[in-house]
Amino acid sequence: FDTVDAAAVLALPAGFAWARFGVEGDPMTDGNSTPKAHDGMGSFDFGTRDGRTVTRLVRNHEVRDGAGVVAPFGDVAKAYDERAGGGNTTLQVLTDPATGAFVALERDFVSLTGTYVNCAGGITPWGSWLTCEETTSGTEQGFAEDHGYVFEIPADANDEVEAIPYTAMGRFAHEAVAIDPRTGIVYETEDSGERSGFYRFIPNTKGSLVDGGRLEMLKVKGTDNYNTIVGQTVARSLPVEWVPIADPDPASGARDAVYSQGEALGAAQFARLEGIWFGNGSLFFTSTSGGDAGFGQVWEYRPTGRSGGQLVLVYESPSIEVLDSPDNLNLTPRGGVLLCEDGDLDNLFLRGVTRDGKIFDFCQNTINGREWCGACWSADGQTLFVNIQGDTREGGPGNLGMTLAIWGPWEDGAL
């Protein structure tokens, strides 16, 4: 792995250190080169061995090249679509449980191939990663298959898995998912400008998404098409209900084909919903361009049983300097919220939000102007893993995707 002068590349608080690995173009242990466009990522506990913490990372690659521009990475025979260049890689890493220090990248390999615009996703309670396509492109755009689906990758898979689209979970511009382990309900975000919805998928069989289920969209009670984008109040509680999506897998590749169904039943309107995480009995999710200033919101949904709940605005950015377009997020082992910026300014930040709604800077990307994404933690809470995306298309300016490990005195702060 690659250790470098932190002051030259990352701006971190005193006492923290970092390592870089899994860089675009690096040879992987399966003989393939590390793909570009690192994005969402999940971490899985694989116990300890010889005094080291073993973590599996399943990582998205948000390749946006059009149909047939690049071949699938990995085994083309296993690709979902031979004309699509996105997918996933799996990495097994060792860290020091005493300090969180990165020790080694043991192996890395292609785990899903031939999907398209794999943006974010989410972990499941049963030990798998759900990877989400942020697109509705398909055969109409020259691909061999339709896209806009969720796929599942077991964290313990040691080779490429069969790519099975979970069509009942919807065909739309998926961003991320999170599962309430008590009910097995999957919550899904949509990143489609100011016509984005917040969805839930109720599986027919808890813990088996392949068995299908029903898709629903959030509605604020008493107000049709409630606009969450502007005019909101932090900490105000909005009662919600859910409306059904009759056709979750429309044949049309129109980006709003699913959203329009919920809209017709009064579902709520959000602006670019992106990261989502379950913790403390709630779902926390980001609206990247929501808010009066247009630079982002953090929302909390508190489920009540299986039929309702409360929607609460946790934080809204007052300006681009304070918080610039939050994207992926997670709840940290110590109870804070970590936000990955994806905005217009160079030198984007990882920013923290405390339990009482205060925001602060943690880490600044001075490598390039590409977004932070995929933040997740080792099971012992000592190591933060996170990606810098890099270019998403051929012929870009040369920004490389990379994965980082960060460790240090977490106990000194809110993260």
Side-chain angles (χ1 to χ4, degrees):
F1 63 96
D2 180 17
T3 56
V4 293
D5 178 5
V9 183
L10 290 184
L12 278 164
F16 283 86
W18 69 284
R20 174 172 55 189
F21 61 98
V23 179
E24 175 187 343
D26 283 355
M28 297 193 295
T29 55
D30 67 353
N32 293 295
S33 294
T34 301
K36 63 185 174 186
H38 299 32
D39 208 280
M41 187 166 66
S43 62
F44 300 87
D45 179 21
F46 272 61
T48 58
R49 190 179 70 249
D50 300 327
R52 304 300 189 191
T53 299
V54 184
T55 302
R56 279 271 179 107
L57 302 171
V58 185
R59 181 178 61 193
N60 281 7
H61 295 274
E62 191 187 335
V63 177
R64 288 183 170 269
D65 295 298
V69 174
V70 295
F73 50 79
D75 186 350
V76 176
K78 295 182 179 180
Y80 170 68
D81 184 339
E82 63 183 12
R83 297 181 61 77
N88 291 80
T89 51
T90 296
L91 306 87
Q92 184 161 305
V93 298
L94 302 180
T95 54
D96 181 346
T99 64
F102 187 88
V103 175
L105 171 60
E106 282 198 308
R107 61 180 304 227
D108 47 352
F109 55 91
V110 176
S111 48
L112 185 82
T113 191
T115 48
Y116 188 46
V117 195
N118 294 69
C119 195
I123 59 174
T124 72
W126 49 90
S128 63
W129 172 252
L130 299 176
T131 181
C132 297
E133 295 183 310
E134 188 197 349
T135 182
T136 56
S137 294
T139 56
E140 296 172 351
Q141 289 74 35
F143 289 95
E145 302 287 346
D146 287 334
H147 295 272
Y149 299 117
V150 177
F151 299 79
E152 186 167 12
I153 304 166
D156 60 1
N158 290 311
D159 199 352
E160 295 170 53
V161 303
E162 181 182 2
I164 300 173
Y166 289 167
T167 57
M169 296 182 71
R171 183 186 180 195
F172 55 86
H174 285 276
E175 177 69 26
V177 299
I179 297 177
D180 183 341
R182 302 166 301 185
T183 62
I185 294 175
V186 185
Y187 293 87
E188 311 178 46
T189 58
E190 179 179 28
D191 184 3
S192 190
E194 292 192 353
R195 286 170 58 79
S196 297
F198 185 57
Y199 301 87
R200 71 176 187 179
F201 176 72
I202 303 176
N204 291 330
T205 306
K206 182 179 178 181
S208 181
L209 304 181
V210 72
D211 292 342
R214 67 181 189 270
L215 185 68
E216 299 176 336
M217 192 169 167
L218 181 141
K219 178 184 186 296
V220 173
K221 283 186 176 181
T223 306
D224 284 346
N225 307 125
Y226 184 91
N227 186 338
T228 69
I229 302 171
V230 296
Q232 301 307 296
T233 302
V234 171
R236 181 175 62 185
S237 183
L238 300 169
V240 307
E241 56 189 340
W242 296 87
V243 298
I245 301 297
D247 183 10
D249 184 23
S252 166
R255 197 171 177 91
D256 66 350
V258 170
Y259 177 88
S260 294
Q261 296 177 55
E263 181 182 48
L265 297 174
Q269 175 189 7
F270 292 88
R272 292 191 60 196
L273 292 187
E274 301 217 33
I276 185 170
W277 203 269
F278 178 85
N280 301 323
S282 294
L283 286 303
F284 296 86
F285 59 98
T286 57
S287 168
T288 295
S289 56
D292 293 336
F295 294 113
Q297 299 164 318
V298 180
W299 290 92
E300 178 184 4
Y301 168 63
R302 302 168 182 166
T304 302
R306 297 172 68 89
S307 59
Q310 303 291 321
L311 180 68
V312 180
L313 180 64
V314 175
Y315 182 81
E316 182 171 300
S317 175
S319 70
I320 193 171
E321 293 81 15
V322 175
L323 176 64
D324 184 9
S325 307
D327 191 325
N328 291 180
L329 89 164
N330 70 37
L331 265 64
T332 75
R334 285 150 289 273
V337 175
L338 182 66
L339 302 174
C340 297
E341 284 192 329
D342 173 18
D344 295 326
L345 294 180
D346 289 336
N347 303 332
L348 296 170
F349 284 84
L350 291 174
R351 302 194 196 258
V353 181
T354 65
R355 294 184 181 185
D356 58 354
K358 302 294 192 304
I359 195 164
F360 61 94
D361 303 340
F362 170 65
C363 178
Q364 186 179 19
N365 170 14
T366 54
I367 298 174
N368 55 42
R370 298 301 298 165
E371 67 185 83
W372 290 101
C373 39
C376 53
W377 299 82
S378 59
D380 58 21
Q382 297 302 306
T383 311
L384 170 66
F385 300 104
V386 65
N387 295 322
I388 293 176
Q389 185 182 74
D391 297 336
T392 59
R393 301 178 189 269
E394 289 293 293
N399 296 313
L400 297 179
M402 62 189 70
T403 300
L404 311 177
I406 299 173
W407 64 93
W410 301 108
E411 65 279 2
D412 292 346
L415 296 179

